[in-house]
Amino acid sequence: MTPPPRVTLAIPLYNAEPYLAATLHSLLAQTYRDFELLIFDDASNDRSAVIAAEFRDPRLRLLGASERVGAERNWNRCLESARGRYIKVVCDDDLLAPDCLERQVAVL
């Protein structure tokens, strides 16, 4: 069995089509590599799930809902599913500097 990652990056999203690709590029380009990336789509009615599914990275898991659960429940799903020791919730329009996780994990 694979050991859990040190960090979980979790994105709770709904209708994030305009920004999601840039956000995912910034997360997957991190210099710190020991993380999983969980994307929780709250039954978006745009192309958010399609965009997320186009990213091929073994650290990425796309989890969807068949119907809207709302922002609070979607954020809680992020926390419940995280396997990392540390959890960073990332909004679907956030961009991280390439060394963001490396610097944050060093402090923690």
Side-chain angles (χ1 to χ4, degrees), residues 26-68:
S26 82
L27 299 180
L28 294 172
Q30 292 297 301
T31 55
Y32 185 84
R33 309 296 291 169
D34 187 14
F35 67 88
E36 66 178 344
L37 173 54
L38 305 180
I39 302 170
F40 295 86
D41 180 34
D42 191 14
S44 294
N45 56 23
D46 67 359
R47 295 186 65 251
S48 295
V50 172
I51 292 167
E54 290 173 348
F55 283 78
R56 302 283 184 227
D57 190 291
R59 298 168 294 177
L60 187 148
R61 271 193 301 154
L62 173 61
L63 304 162
S66 57
E67 60 184 45
R68 293 278 329 261

Side-chain angles (χ1 to χ4, degrees), residues 15-104:
N15 288 348
E17 182 176 354
Y19 314 105
L20 185 58
T23 297
L24 294 177
H25 281 295
S26 82
L27 299 180
L28 294 172
Q30 292 297 301
T31 55
Y32 185 84
R33 309 296 291 169
D34 187 14
F35 67 88
E36 66 178 344
L37 173 54
L38 305 180
I39 302 170
F40 295 86
D41 180 34
D42 191 14
S44 294
N45 56 23
D46 67 359
R47 295 186 65 251
S48 295
V50 172
I51 292 167
E54 290 173 348
F55 283 78
R56 302 283 184 227
D57 190 291
R59 298 168 294 177
L60 187 148
R61 271 193 301 154
L62 173 61
L63 304 162
S66 57
E67 60 184 45
R68 293 278 329 261
V69 297
E72 181 179 296
R73 178 70 182 117
N74 202 34
W75 281 61
N76 285 338
R77 287 177 23 182
C78 292
L79 301 177
E80 293 163 1
S81 299
R83 296 183 318 127
R85 178 176 179 185
Y86 305 117
I87 302 169
K88 181 173 183 70
V89 177
V90 180
C91 294
D92 54 45
D93 61 352
D94 286 352
L95 299 176
L96 300 185
D99 64 343
C100 177
L101 286 182
E102 185 176 344
R103 292 183 351 207
Q104 290 177 329

